Each structure stands twice: as C-alpha cells, then as structure tokens.
Amino acid sequence: MRPKKRTFLSRSLLALGMLFIFAVAAGAQAPPPVCTLNAPPPTKDDPAPPDATAGIRIEVKGPDGKPLQRKRFFLLERDLSKDSSYKPESAPKRDDYLAGASPELRAWLKKFPCDSLYCPEYEAGYEEAVKTVPEFKKAYDDGIKKYQNPKLALSWITVNFPLKNVRTEFYDRKTAWIEQAAQKGGKVMSVMTDEEGVAYFTDVKLRTYYITNLTPLEEGNLLWNCGVTVPPPIPRQLYSISFTLSVPKAAAK
Amino acid sequence: MKHRTATLPILILLASVVFICLGLPSSVAVASPEFEPSRSGQRRRRPAQRRPRVDYSQFNHRTKEHQRSCDSCHKIPTPNWRRVRTGDEAFPDVADYPDHPSCVNCHRNEFFRGASPAICTICHTSVSPRNDTRHPFQNPEEGFAKATKKPKTAGSQFIMNFPHDKHQDVMADVQPLRSNDSGVTFVRASFARQKTQKRIDSCSICHETYLPQGDSEEPYVVKKPDDLPGGAFWLKKGTFKTTPTGHASCFNCHWQAGGEKPLSTDCAGCHKLLPEGKTGVFVPRDHVDIDVKTAMQMGITDQTIISKWLRRDAATFNHGHSKHEPLGCTACHINITAINTLDQATLKVPILTCGGGGTGCHIKPAPREKILNYEVKKKTGDATFQCSKCHVNFGNVPIEQIPKSHMDAVSTAKK
C-alpha cells in the first residue's frame, strides 16, 4: 500500500510541477494580438462611386481586456511585415534613455510608463517626486532660486530638469523611428485611441490598407498589423468597417 | 600792361565757372531717373515714383524689416512679469512692448519728426516726454480685455499654430517593452461581433467647460426674459469649452533653453503671421448662425463667448448638456490628430456624429424619427419652417441651401 501511495503522491507532485512549468511558460510567452472584424462588411448591389470614401473604426484592448488608451495607430498602404528592412524589435526602448538616472528616478519612472516626462500621470506626481527623487529635487530647488515661487517651481519642474535624455530623448528618438517606419509603409494617416481605446480613420478611399501600431507595445511585444479592405460607406455611420484589436482571452494572462 | 594781363585770366576763369554752373544741372538731370529726353529733344518729367506713404502710427509685423527673430525686439521675459500677474499666478512672460532701442535703430528720423511723432502712438497713450504711459499690451489677455483704451492696432496679426497630434503623442503612455527578443507576431483579421461602449476622454487637460452650470440655480448665461415665447432659444451655461489663450500652458514645457522646441524665444514657432487683410483662420462669413446683434439682444457681452459663438455652425449646441457631457469629446471630435489650427475645415465636427455613431441619438428615420430627420423633412416640405434644434440663423436658409451633409445623413438613414 505504501509504495503505491508514494507513487501516487510523487506522480501528483510531478503533474502539478509540470502544470506549474507550463503555466509559467504560457505566462511568459507573448500572447498573440488579433484583429477581430466586428461586423461583416455589407454587400451593396450598387458599386460605390470612384471617389467614394468611408471610415474605419478601431477599438484596441490590452491583454487584460481593458481599453488601450492613447496609443497611436497608423493606416499604411503597404504591408510592412513583408518589408525586410522594417525591424520592430529595433525600435527605441525606454530603458536605453536612462543614462545618469539615479535609482530613485528609475524606480519613479517605472510607476507611470510614459514616453516623456510630460504625460499627465507624471505631472500629478511631481509634488511627491521632489521629496524622494534627487533629480526632481534639484530641478525644484533651481526653480525656487529662479522664480522665488514654489508653485511655479513645481509646475515648471521639467524646464529645470537636469537630465534631458530622461525628459524627452526617448520620445524624440521613438517619434523619429516611427515616422521613418510609417514612410516606408506608405503612411496615409494616423490616429490616437481615446480613453475607451477607440479611434477612427475617416475619409479613406475604398482600397486595401494595413492598420498597425508600428512599435511593439505592452508586455509581450504586442504589434498589430491588420489588413483591411475598406467597403463602401454605410448609411448613418461614420465608418463602414470596424475592428477590435485585442489579445485573445485564452492566450492572455 | 600788367593790369590787362591779369584781367584776362580772371575773365577766362569766371567764364569757365559760369559755364560749369549752367551745364551741371543738365548733366545731373540726364543721369536722374526722373527725367528722360523726349523725341523732340526736350526733356519731359516722368510721373514721380514716390515711395508709398508709410503710416508710422501703425506697427505691422508683416513689414519685411520687422521679420527678424522675435527676440531681437521682444524681451523674454519682460521686466514687468511679476507685476502683470501676482502671487502664484505670476510666471515669466512677455507682457510689454519692446523698448526704444528696438525701434530707434531704424526709425531715428521718425522718432524726432515734429512735436508729436506718430511713431510714438504705437505704444504710448500720449506723446509727451513727461508721460511714458503705454497702451495695454495684448498679453496677458485678461488684462487687455479689461482695458478701456486700446491701441489702434488691437487685434492680432498672428494665428496660433498648435499641433494637436504632437501633443497627443507627448502625453501618450508607453507600456514597458519586454527585454526578450522573441520577435513580433503579425496577425490578420478574423470575424466576430463586439458591443460598442460608452466613451469618455481627457481633452479637459486643456479644454474645460466655460461658465459651467455647477451648483448654480440659474441655467442661462443671462437671465431669460419672462416674456420669451416657449421653446425660443436662450443661451445656456456650459455651452462652450475653453481654449488656452495665454502662455501659462505653453511656457511650463517650452521655456527658453531648458524647454522643448519651439522655445519661448521663438515666438514664430507658434504664432504664425496672417496674410494682409486676414484676421484669423475663421473666414468672415456674410451669413452666420449667430450674429453679434442677436448676442447683444440677449445681453451677452462676454468676448470669449461672442468670439467662440460666431464661429459656430450649430449655435445652440451645448457641450455641458447632461447627455453630451458623459459622451466625451472624442465621441464627436473624432479625429483630433488631423486638427490643424491653421485650417478651419479640419476643426469641423462631422454631422454623422450626431447620430451617435449609428446608434441614432439625433439621426434616425421613422417610426421613432429623430430630430435631424424631422427637421429636414419639415423644411423640405415647408420653406417657411425654421430648423431650431441646432441653429439660430441657419435654420431660415432656403431649401436649396440645406447642406449636402444633412441631406445625405437623412436620405441614407431612410434605407
């Protein structure tokens, strides 16, 4: 009886261990992003006039199913995934622009993941940062010396911030990288998602495009590249086709 | 003999002088562009090519000589920045006219012309060495708006260039990138149905409701007259959104060498010179939905309201309406990235957004017909009908002037 019990116990432990390893592996693996067409495009008997334009609606969700806010998406004429010179993994990364930053600043920046120091989440945290982060403290003290006004020193803190590379260099480099990639893909226009993760491409010609965020984002290097053929305009609608860009629930953590 | 010998050279010399003096004007005249020989050999005077008369009492930034770098004249900040705003409101700013040296280097003559040089009146209220009072400067705007006596050149020669797309990006989140090099997966679309969601947004970082209803019991900007006919339009609070006007929301990021480009010293980075004769991006129209006269009749004197109202195509639209506010700005302003403050067309809101993106808030055919369908139907059936849900003056236009966008929205909705 005992050996059988031991075998059962060890097998159970082994199975649990395997499950745990698989779970960890699944969690670490990048969930593949998908583009879901929300409604099949309508079929119309009448062909659209040659100069007809329509709109595309996108709704973007992260791995947790929540809206991905303030993310820029591009409408391109060409499929960049077939362009060997386009290497999304070479896009600038935030961590590469933290040279000279104190450990406190690095920790503080991680609280609010933004492209530059100017994003609203950071601004709300300046008051706390001047007490705990040396770079912010220096900027604040310099501001006090210049303006003799604590409120002004705080609201203009980025002006006196000692590390320009931390302030905006990442944003500048990333913007330049994106612009170059967008040109390669034949940029038509770009939009930014709102608080609900929604954005519209409007007045687009009825042809095939590619919707992409160009630089990987979110954990797992999320990069969407949705091929879309714009159907004729739909009555009473700003758009004739609508996508949800998301990460499948099964694959998401 | 000696006397005669001396007289002759003197006479010859005098004759030479007389000859030279008589001959000289004609040689100058030939060289002068104002004269040319006529066919008959006589000299005819050309019509004078006078320099255009310059009105030195008006300063024009469009003058070529005035288009050097802005900080060659404007001090940034001006010494009075602590006086024009006080306490916590104060910040380094350009709040006064340039000083004399920036003008006198080129206009020394005009500075000392007559007892009351016209050039002085550009900045000074009276021309007197004992009175150096200046006209109010156009910045800060709140101080300028209150001033009773304004300079002759009041009204900006510039228009603001504010790139919404760049500022959107600066505020964008970045999610941490993974350090692994597992590569990137491209995917294609698949089919599935999704529900639409209500949206909110954060444009309020810069644009807030102007004169919000708040806890006030009075819903109107000016008290509504008791004898106003039922259903007649009267301006409600919360109709407009603010637009940043001063430097306060710019200089905290763009200040001098410590800031981002365009720097505060590069005024032209944001202030774009308007062509001669233009007063703004909004093209003056013969027919507007609300006019100053109507505003005055309502007792509206607030310049912020009037300036924003005159631009409106839908004068009655109320941002603060209880059903509009929760929708968020991007429910209607659907392409903020494409907004170009220098191009009026990009600032328009598509009328289809009034249809709630297809859900039918204000655009829906029978049987539960919505207001756009109802008013267009009434208007096309009765030329005297006045569309009044969104419009004041535009509601009276002839049938043939109903915008195509309205007809399209309604005709397609019938399908």
Side-chain angles (χ1 to χ4, degrees):
Chain A
M1 280 302 279
R2 199 170 267 184
K4 267 190 179 178
K5 258 190 182 176
R6 199 175 286 164
T7 312
F8 176 73
L9 193 68
S10 60
R11 278 182 183 170
S12 301
L13 281 172
L14 187 67
L16 277 170
M18 292 290 280
L19 271 173
F20 177 74
I21 290 165
F22 282 131
V24 169
Q29 200 176 354
V34 295
C35 312
T36 310
L37 189 62
N38 290 336
T43 51
K44 285 193 79 176
D45 297 334
D46 301 332
D51 59 342
T53 58
I56 306 165
R57 180 183 186 272
I58 58 169
E59 186 176 0
V60 191
K61 292 177 178 177
D64 55 2
K66 289 181 181 168
L68 274 182
Q69 304 168 341
R70 301 203 293 270
K71 297 286 175 285
R72 188 161 291 284
F73 282 81
F74 294 80
L75 191 68
L76 305 180
E77 289 178 342
R78 292 185 285 279
D79 184 358
L80 271 180
S81 65
K82 290 175 182 162
D83 185 336
S84 59
S85 69
Y86 168 65
K87 296 186 185 344
E89 61 275 11
S90 71
K93 294 172 178 63
R94 186 80 170 109
D95 288 349
D96 297 342
Y97 296 89
L98 297 178
S102 66
E104 292 90 340
L105 178 59
R106 286 170 188 265
W108 189 82
L109 288 169
K110 282 209 166 20
K111 281 190 205 170
F112 311 107
C114 291
D115 278 8
S116 73
L117 277 192
Y118 297 113
C119 81
E121 285 84 351
Y122 282 154
E123 285 176 14
Y126 289 162
E127 203 165 351
E128 187 58 34
V130 297
K131 295 173 192 161
T132 56
V133 180
E135 287 87 346
F136 278 105
K137 189 173 184 323
K138 184 181 182 317
Y140 181 70
D141 291 344
D142 286 353
I144 293 276
K145 273 183 211 157
K146 286 180 189 171
Y147 321 124
Q148 289 100 47
N149 179 339
K151 191 183 168 192
L152 190 63
L154 194 64
S155 61
W156 284 31
I157 202 159
T158 54
V159 166
N160 298 304
F161 196 79
L163 299 175
K164 182 164 172 25
N165 57 316
V166 175
R167 194 176 63 191
T168 44
E169 197 176 342
F170 168 61
Y171 163 76
D172 292 340
R173 295 289 176 93
K174 185 181 160 190
T175 307
W177 189 95
I178 286 175
E179 195 51 43
Q180 200 179 25
Q183 293 311 323
K184 269 184 204 169
K187 178 185 164 186
V188 178
M189 65 176 80
S190 73
V191 291
M192 182 170 276
T193 57
D194 64 14
E195 304 296 309
E196 292 297 320
V198 173
Y200 296 89
F201 296 101
T202 54
D203 291 328
V204 295
K205 290 180 182 167
L206 312 186
R207 50 157 289 181
T208 298
Y209 299 98
Y210 296 86
I211 297 171
T212 174
N213 47 321
L214 287 174
T215 49
L217 51 89
E218 288 285 345
E219 286 187 39
N221 285 348
L222 289 183
L223 180 67
W224 283 274
N225 185 47
C226 318
V228 50
T229 302
V230 183
I234 297 177
R236 283 192 291 131
Q237 272 194 196
L238 285 159
Y239 53 91
S240 61
I241 195 161
S242 169
F243 286 97
T244 297
L245 280 57
S246 62
V247 181
K249 272 189 181 171
K253 274 192 265 185
Chain B
M1 209 39 204
K2 267 186 182 176
H3 178 73
R4 282 174 76 185
T5 316
T7 308
L8 188 62
I10 290 169
L11 283 172
I12 292 168
L13 187 67
L14 276 170
S16 304
V17 169
V18 169
F19 175 78
I20 289 165
C21 287
L22 288 173
L24 191 63
S26 62
S27 63
V28 171
V30 171
S32 164
E34 294 210 341
F35 291 89
E36 64 179 11
S38 67
R39 282 181 190 169
S40 62
Q42 289 177 323
R43 302 195 187 285
R44 181 167 61 85
R45 196 178 176 90
R46 251 195 201 172
Q49 291 181 342
R50 284 186 188 166
R51 288 175 64 191
R53 189 179 172 80
V54 178
D55 180 0
Y56 286 104
S57 69
Q58 307 271 346
F59 183 84
N60 195 339
H61 284 96
R62 298 177 191 98
T63 303
K64 191 183 163 195
E65 290 78 8
H66 294 166
Q67 292 190 13
R68 288 183 295 167
S69 71
C70 310
D71 60 352
S72 64
C73 293
H74 289 281
K75 268 190 189 166
I76 305 165
T78 48
N80 67 339
W81 70 267
R82 287 179 205 274
R83 291 198 304 274
V84 294
R85 296 184 188 90
T86 53
D88 281 349
E89 299 301 312
F91 67 90
D93 197 6
V94 186
D96 203 355
Y97 295 93
D99 282 330
H100 287 139
S102 54
C103 312
V104 84
N105 285 342
C106 299
H107 293 287
R108 187 171 294 276
N109 289 344
E110 286 72 35
F111 261 69
F112 301 103
R113 183 168 291 163
S116 304
I119 200 167
C120 302
T121 64
I122 294 172
C123 303
H124 292 279
T125 53
S126 68
V127 183
S128 162
R130 290 186 197 87
N131 184 357
D132 64 353
T133 311
R134 294 178 176 190
H135 291 295
F137 192 63
Q138 294 199 31
N139 184 50
E141 199 182 43
E142 55 273 22
F144 186 74
K146 283 179 198 162
T148 47
K149 198 176 177 187
K150 291 180 180 155
K152 275 191 276 186
T153 48
S156 181
Q157 295 164 8
F158 296 91
I159 186 166
M160 270 300 298
N161 175 34
F162 181 84
H164 278 85
D165 57 338
K166 283 194 175 69
H167 287 84
Q168 272 186 315
D169 280 336
V170 169
M171 292 176 185
D173 287 349
V174 62
Q175 299 297 328
L177 294 167
R178 271 200 163 185
S179 54
N180 69 30
D181 293 314
S182 57
V184 172
T185 315
F186 286 103
V187 286
R188 297 275 177 258
S190 58
F191 290 79
R193 281 189 182 275
Q194 297 281 330
K195 276 195 288 183
T196 54
Q197 288 184 325
K198 191 187 79 170
R199 296 193 304 272
I200 52 163
D201 45 49
S202 59
C203 303
S204 57
I205 291 168
C206 295
H207 304 282
E208 294 173 337
T209 303
Y210 187 66
L211 294 178
Q213 173 68 53
D215 296 330
S216 158
E217 287 182 7
E218 175 58 62
Y220 299 99
V221 175
V222 173
K223 197 176 181 319
K224 186 179 172 181
D226 295 335
D227 57 350
L228 194 75
F233 170 71
W234 202 253
L235 186 66
K236 284 194 170 175
K237 287 179 180 169
T239 296
F240 303 99
K241 289 281 177 182
T242 58
T243 304
T245 52
H247 293 138
S249 51
C250 310
F251 283 0
N252 58 336
C253 301
H254 294 280
W255 182 248
Q256 293 187 346
E260 303 301 324
K261 288 180 180 174
L263 299 175
S264 54
T265 44
D266 174 22
C267 311
C270 302
H271 298 272
K272 301 294 177 193
L273 199 55
L274 283 161
E276 193 77 60
K278 275 197 89 177
T279 54
V281 68
F282 290 92
V283 181
R285 298 176 292 188
D286 293 336
H287 189 53
V288 288
D289 199 24
I290 192 83
D291 47 52
V292 178
K293 193 178 151 197
T294 312
M296 291 297 175
Q297 281 169 353
M298 285 187 183
I300 310 270
T301 52
D302 186 318
Q303 286 305 306
T304 303
I305 289 181
I306 291 174
S307 66
K308 284 181 172 287
W309 215 6
L310 291 178
R311 299 171 184 179
R312 284 274 194 94
D313 282 341
T316 71
F317 178 82
N318 187 349
H319 280 100
H321 189 282
S322 60
K323 288 193 175 170
H324 291 159
E325 208 151 37
L327 292 172
C329 311
T330 51
C332 301
H333 298 274
I334 57 168
N335 204 346
I336 290 166
T337 297
I339 285 180
N340 175 0
T341 55
L342 306 177
D343 180 0
Q344 183 180 4
T346 65
L347 307 177
K348 300 281 181 195
V349 172
I351 192 168
L352 279 174
T353 58
C354 304
T359 57
C361 297
H362 298 302
I363 308 173
K364 200 175 184 182
R368 298 187 68 184
E369 194 174 50
K370 294 291 181 176
I371 192 70
L372 185 71
N373 303 70
Y374 170 78
E375 289 201 336
V376 170
K377 188 175 78 182
K378 292 287 279 182
K379 183 79 187 175
T380 48
D382 173 8
T384 62
F385 177 80
Q386 182 176 352
C387 301
S388 59
K389 177 69 181 173
C390 309
H391 301 297
V392 177
N393 292 332
F394 286 165
N396 292 319
V397 298
I399 295 166
E400 57 274 15
Q401 283 182 26
I402 299 173
K404 185 177 179 296
S405 60
H406 291 46
M407 299 302 285
D408 287 351
V410 174
S411 64
T412 52
K414 283 175 184 169
K415 285 188 102 173

